[in-house]
Amino acid sequence: MAEDFDVDLFGDPILSREETRGRPEHRWSLENSNKVLLAFARGLDVKKAAIAIGVSVPTLRKHYFAEVKKRDAAKLRMEMTQLARLNKAAAEGNIAAEKELGKRLDKATLADTAERVANRGRNGAPPALPRLGKKEEATAKAEAVTGKYAPRPIPTRMMN
């Protein structure tokens, strides 16, 4: 921006009061775009991401529609970006980065294995039969009665 603005505590520009009507329209900025993507990577919803940058949900959807489209994959993309940076640093000879990369890969492998083991027995099991309600159970029990109080058989011979 060519204009110099004072900024508030959160880094948002403080606009001088002009004699125009209404609130000035929000402008897209790379800083706010990154905040929105980080909010989605953290798992926040659209409303909380809008609060984080100080706009309403419709304004967020209007100006940051590309970021909103990416919200489902934001966490995975952030993790892969971090791993790529660690891998680059490790390839350049940074031992700490190499150790951290190994830790993160081991942690991800362990989480994947735990998820696979947790669901192991459920795939082949037959689905449970739907449970009958009270009235259906009572009807089934009444039809199963034998002996003196059993329901009469349906006539097989026609009367006419």
Side-chain angles (χ1 to χ4, degrees):
M1 286 189 237
E3 305 171 36
D4 289 328
F5 293 114
D6 291 332
V7 293
D8 64 4
L9 177 66
F10 301 114
D12 296 330
I14 300 173
L15 301 173
S16 62
R17 175 133 170 101
E18 297 174 7
E19 296 301 321
T20 60
R21 298 182 100 178
R23 189 176 192 173
E25 186 174 352
H26 178 79
R27 293 185 192 155
W28 181 92
S29 70
L30 179 61
E31 185 178 351
N32 282 340
S33 174
N34 289 337
K35 285 180 185 178
V36 170
L37 287 173
L38 284 172
F40 292 148
R42 185 172 166 241
L44 299 180
D45 59 356
V46 176
K47 183 176 181 181
K48 290 185 180 177
I51 292 170
I53 64 168
V55 297
S56 66
V57 173
T59 302
L60 179 94
R61 289 187 188 278
K62 177 180 176 184
H63 293 282
Y64 300 96
F65 59 90
E67 290 82 355
V68 173
K69 270 186 168 179
K70 298 176 189 176
R71 78 172 176 252
D72 293 334
K75 187 173 183 91
L76 179 63
R77 291 184 69 178
M78 182 63 156
E79 183 181 351
M80 291 302 110
T81 301
Q82 289 176 336
L83 289 176
R85 288 178 182 160
L86 282 173
N87 187 41
K88 182 180 178 186
E92 293 172 353
N94 187 337
I95 301 300
E98 193 168 338
K99 287 180 181 180
E100 182 65 24
L101 179 64
K103 286 179 188 178
R104 289 192 184 198
L105 291 175
D106 287 343
K107 185 177 178 181
T109 303
L110 184 63
D112 291 343
T113 304
E115 184 179 332
R116 192 173 64 243
V117 169
N119 297 329
R120 186 181 330 168
R122 296 187 189 144
N123 292 342
L129 295 175
R131 190 164 171 244
L132 297 176
K134 292 179 181 181
K135 292 179 181 177
E136 288 86 4
E137 282 183 15
T139 304
K141 284 182 183 178
E143 290 173 355
V145 172
T146 59
K148 183 177 180 182
Y149 298 104
R152 294 184 193 172
I154 298 173
T156 55
R157 191 172 56 116
M158 297 298 284
M159 299 296 272
N160 288 342

